[in-house]
Amino acid sequence: MNIEYLNGSLEITGVELDPQLTLMDSAQVFHWSRIDDIFYGTVCGRRAKLTPLPDGFRLDGVAEKDITFWRHYFDLDRDYRAVMESCKQYPHAYRAMQLLPGMRVLNQPAWEATIAFILSANNNVARIRQLVGKLIGLCGENGGIPSPEQLGQIDEATLRGIGCGYRAPFLVKTTKCVLDGLDLDTLRSLPYDEAHKRLLLLPGVGDKVADCIQLFGLGQGEAFPVDVWVERLMVRWFLPDAHGKKEIRAKAQEMFGVNAGIIQQSLFHCARLSLISLE
DNA sequence: AACCAGGTGCGGT
DNA sequence: ACCGCACATGGT
């Protein structure tokens, strides 16, 4: 992998990273937009324009002090080939990673992942995108997910007004928890189980959303979100006798360890895109 | 027009 | 601890 920085542009080449797959199709992040194969997004107030290249991408609008930030966001320092090799004893997992070589798991800010995945519950990807976009539209025009302070200014009725539905009070209450002093980033250094328990205290956060926050927002690779798709594919491909999402998650963590989350992401997409048949 | 969406909270067994 | 149901809304 090669990284070059010049005049606000960060060029990353020699890396398997498919922006369409990771930013738009992956259902791990919902607020990047694509216009004519160029991607626009704002993360923690840093607005960037991403242009795909044949073997990587270029990021424009990058301040020199933010090079490390973006490098971490796109998880550039991880050897995905090694992750793939780590699951070679599980042919379906290995195959899933082979089929999606450009797949990566982004390191999002904990707060942004929390808001996005509370909105994701019992919702489809197209609508999650739309909803996150409307939420962003409520707070200025920098294009990023509102900060806790910004969201704290918005009442439940307004959130219902943009289509949040019954998730509106979850957003309000969780925002209040954070404004009252809960520091999501401190969960990063806690063991998986402990961070999970604390996340469950937030309104609108159950097992699945907590795992998404841990995987996408806290850098905890043992997290293994189990939704209906993952439940089905795990039973079909790995655990024919398992029943219940909790058991599936525990067994997957035993099998895949700290790479469980990355492998889950590949399995999930292979199933969703029908790259591997569930029958 | 039903049915589904990367579920969660709640009350009743 | 497990089970069933309500919950808003729009895409397919």
Side-chain angles (χ1 to χ4, degrees):
Chain A
M1 185 179 65
N2 192 33
I3 301 181
E4 279 181 42
Y5 181 78
L6 184 64
N7 294 333
S9 290
L10 192 61
E11 198 163 289
I12 294 119
T13 51
V15 61
E16 289 181 321
L17 194 165
D18 176 354
Q20 174 73 28
L21 196 56
T22 56
L23 299 177
M24 301 301 289
D25 292 339
S26 71
Q28 61 177 312
V29 66
F30 304 98
H31 70 279
W32 287 76
S33 55
R34 177 170 52 76
I35 302 171
D36 296 333
D37 296 323
I38 310 282
F39 299 84
Y40 301 87
T42 298
V43 183
C44 267
R46 301 158 170 86
R47 188 207 296 272
K49 169 188 173 188
L50 185 154
T51 306
L53 301 173
D55 63 337
F57 62 94
R58 189 180 72 246
L59 211 56
D60 296 311
V62 175
E64 189 161 9
K65 66 174 172 55
D66 291 333
I67 294 175
T68 306
F69 173 87
W70 288 112
R71 187 179 177 123
H72 182 243
Y73 183 79
F74 287 103
D75 206 28
L76 297 180
D77 293 305
R78 187 186 307 277
D79 181 354
Y80 277 74
R81 201 61 66 93
V83 175
M84 185 166 81
E85 293 306 314
S86 80
C87 64
K88 207 163 188 169
Q89 62 182 119
Y90 302 103
H92 282 100
Y94 190 70
R95 178 92 181 117
M97 292 202 70
Q98 272 187 323
L99 287 169
L100 296 170
M103 174 61 70
R104 298 181 86 84
V105 171
L106 304 175
N107 292 117
Q108 303 177 52
W111 166 255
E112 295 184 11
T114 301
I115 294 309
F117 281 96
I118 286 176
L119 290 175
S120 80
N122 196 29
N123 218 339
N124 64 59
V125 174
R127 213 170 90 80
I128 298 165
R129 245 204 183 90
Q130 185 183 22
L131 209 44
V132 171
K134 286 182 179 173
L135 184 66
I136 287 168
L138 288 178
C139 301
E141 290 303 329
N142 81 333
I145 290 176
S147 66
E149 291 73 20
Q150 288 175 308
L151 201 46
Q153 303 290 320
I154 302 172
D155 62 15
E156 185 184 323
T158 305
L159 293 172
R160 283 185 185 273
I162 61 168
C164 290
Y166 64 88
R167 307 170 193 84
F170 297 158
L171 235 43
V172 170
K173 289 175 192 166
T174 289
T175 299
K176 181 166 164 43
C177 287
V178 170
L179 289 175
D180 285 346
L182 170 65
D183 183 352
L184 293 169
D185 283 306
T186 61
L187 302 180
R188 195 176 292 273
S189 56
L190 296 178
Y192 167 84
D193 290 327
E194 186 59 31
H196 194 82
K197 267 192 281 187
R198 300 206 190 181
L199 285 169
L200 292 183
L201 297 175
L202 295 172
V205 178
D207 276 324
K208 190 270 177 183
V209 171
D211 270 333
C212 286
I213 296 169
Q214 291 179 269
L215 177 59
F216 303 126
L218 297 175
Q220 299 188 325
E222 317 93 305
F224 192 87
V226 181
D227 60 20
V228 287
W229 280 96
V230 174
E231 181 172 20
R232 253 177 293 179
L233 76 85
M234 287 301 290
V235 170
R236 174 66 182 84
W237 296 340
F238 300 91
L239 306 165
D241 299 321
H243 63 84
K245 298 180 177 180
K246 277 214 163 89
E247 182 185 350
I248 289 168
R249 182 183 62 181
K251 295 238 166 95
Q253 289 172 328
E254 281 175 33
M255 290 190 282
F256 304 131
V258 294
N259 293 326
I262 292 174
I263 293 166
Q264 185 270 7
Q265 190 65 10
S266 295
L267 289 168
F268 171 74
H269 279 273
C270 279
R272 213 164 78 99
L273 304 174
S274 298
L275 298 182
I276 305 180
S277 166
L278 274 168
E279 268 319 306

